[in-house]
Amino acid sequence: MYNPATDRVEPYEEVWLDTVPPPGTLIAFLEKEDGSSFVAIIGELRLGVGRRYAWRSEGGKTVYEIGWGEGMHIVLDGDVKEGSTIGSWIVRELWKT
């Protein structure tokens, strides 16, 4: 993965923890039209990854950011459906638990 501190691609290990969101939690995955970035939304948690940035927010507050977090402020209103576009983002998946 790209490390902006060294301006190089370096080994990276990602660690994921399983969790079960409560019933009614909004789940969404969006992809940039050019395929360069994605955003995952699980309730109040958001994670974005792009070619030269990564970010995570919780409850509307940014808790981690490297580079500029494109897509950090995507708003999913009642008109959004799978296949919809929001700016240059495509909603690939959208459902509630």
Side-chain angles (χ1 to χ4, degrees):
M1 181 172 205
Y2 174 74
N3 182 344
T6 62
D7 198 33
R8 297 166 62 178
V9 174
E10 298 176 354
Y12 171 77
E13 181 179 352
E14 202 166 86
V15 178
W16 291 77
L17 302 174
D18 287 333
T19 186
V20 178
T25 301
L26 179 71
I27 310 289
F29 295 94
L30 295 88
E31 181 182 9
K32 195 86 173 206
E33 287 176 332
D34 65 4
S36 65
S37 311
F38 85 88
V39 172
I41 299 170
I42 302 173
E44 293 295 314
L45 303 173
R46 292 174 180 233
L47 173 69
V49 177
R51 291 203 174 118
R52 295 194 176 258
Y53 67 86
W55 57 268
R56 183 171 65 95
S57 68
E58 231 174 281
K61 292 177 82 174
T62 301
V63 293
Y64 173 80
E65 181 182 0
I66 293 179
W68 183 69
E70 270 187 278
M72 292 174 75
H73 306 289
I74 290 172
V75 176
L76 300 175
D77 61 29
D79 294 333
V80 176
K81 299 176 180 70
E82 284 187 16
S84 298
T85 57
I86 300 171
S88 60
W89 295 90
I90 302 168
V91 179
R92 295 294 185 195
E93 297 182 42
L94 180 68
W95 74 92
K96 287 189 178 185
T97 56

